[in-house]
Amino acid sequence: SRRMAEEGAGHPKTRAFIHATHRFFHYGWMICLACFLLIFCTSFISLGFSVIMVGLRAHAGLTGTQASTILTIRSISSFVAMLVADRYFEALTFRNGTVLALVFEIIGLQLLCIADDNMVIYSVGGAFAGVCYAYGLMMPASVLMKRWFKKDLAFALAVASAGTGACSVLGSPILQALINGVGMQGMFNLLCVFIAVCAFFVFVIVRDRPAEVGLEPYGGVGWDDPEA
């Protein structure tokens, strides 16, 4: 997986796009934007999950005990996944690992959508959501920001982590509006489409290290300011 990521980063068209972007602003800010979207999408599993559970109770007949069980399974799977996070990202790279985390989120949401009254499917969906929660929040974003920024690191981290704040403000109202407008199934499908688009953006944009594409970190030694 690491070799494939390096080969993808070295593709002539990929390098041309990255360096064309770098002419106007440091490419690290594109990584920052990708991390913002990653965290925004993943935050639906935490901040927006209560709205999803309430919707399932109202529209799918989920009981309070079942909803609590799903939340517990999500928490346990997230905890277990965090224990092996270093091996996960070492094997897949941060680029592939974060994209896969969003794929896990899509799978989890679709399982919750089709579960009907099957508690086993609900539980598996909750487990996938927990794995996404472990691998899609601040840990990969903070590592990527540290690799891509030597200057303004704190600001870059703040911008990336603002995805959580954005989701806390917008996530629940958006989910509730979708449930009221298109129903639970429509909400799940539209949310998954949005997450898939963001996952594609993350895959296209993110590179684990500046050196993979012949760049220096923002503010690093030998850095050439595109605005200078």
Side-chain angles (χ1 to χ4, degrees):
S1 296
R2 185 176 300 278
R3 185 183 63 189
M4 291 174 61
E6 290 173 351
E7 289 175 352
H11 192 280
K13 291 184 178 180
T14 302
R15 281 182 172 268
F17 166 75
I18 292 173
H19 284 273
T21 303
H22 190 71
R23 290 176 59 189
F24 301 98
F25 52 85
H26 193 277
Y27 193 74
W29 295 112
M30 292 292 288
I31 305 292
C32 188
L33 175 60
C35 289
F36 172 90
L37 290 175
L38 169 70
I39 293 171
F40 181 79
C41 290
T42 306
S43 294
F44 281 107
I45 291 299
S46 56
L47 301 173
F49 214 62
S50 59
V51 177
I52 294 174
M53 290 295 102
V54 170
L56 288 174
R57 292 185 64 181
H59 297 272
L62 200 69
T63 67
T65 301
Q66 289 173 323
S68 298
T69 301
I70 294 171
L71 290 171
T72 300
I73 291 172
R74 184 201 64 179
S75 299
I76 292 173
S77 65
S78 177
F79 173 75
V80 173
M82 285 295 293
L83 296 178
V84 295
D86 55 340
R87 297 181 181 179
Y88 171 85
F89 285 111
E90 182 179 356
L92 294 177
T93 74
F94 281 93
R95 178 197 186 195
N96 295 333
T98 51
V99 171
L100 186 57
L102 294 179
V103 172
F104 288 150
E105 182 175 14
I106 292 172
I107 293 173
L109 291 173
Q110 284 298 309
L111 288 173
L112 294 176
C113 177
I114 67 173
D116 196 14
D117 59 350
N118 191 320
M119 193 57 197
V120 173
I121 298 178
Y122 276 128
S123 300
V124 175
F128 271 103
V131 174
C132 166
Y133 185 73
Y135 297 147
L137 279 175
M138 280 307 300
M139 183 181 64
S142 60
V143 173
L144 287 170
M145 292 301 94
K146 186 175 181 180
R147 290 178 176 179
W148 276 91
F149 288 87
K150 299 300 182 183
K151 175 185 177 184
D152 296 336
L153 174 59
F155 178 71
L157 280 169
V159 172
S161 63
T164 301
C167 189
S168 67
V169 174
L170 301 174
S172 295
I174 290 174
L175 291 178
Q176 192 60 60
L178 289 175
I179 292 171
N180 294 337
V182 296
M184 288 299 296
Q185 184 173 358
M187 180 275 293
F188 278 122
N189 290 336
L190 288 174
L191 181 58
C192 287
V193 168
F194 172 73
I195 294 170
V197 171
C198 291
F200 177 76
F201 181 84
V202 170
F203 179 76
V204 170
I205 295 300
V206 170
R207 296 296 181 272
D208 277 33
R209 299 177 185 275
E212 290 181 9
V213 287
L215 299 178
E216 291 285 342
Y218 182 75
V221 176
W223 171 62
D224 183 20
D225 188 348
E227 298 180 358

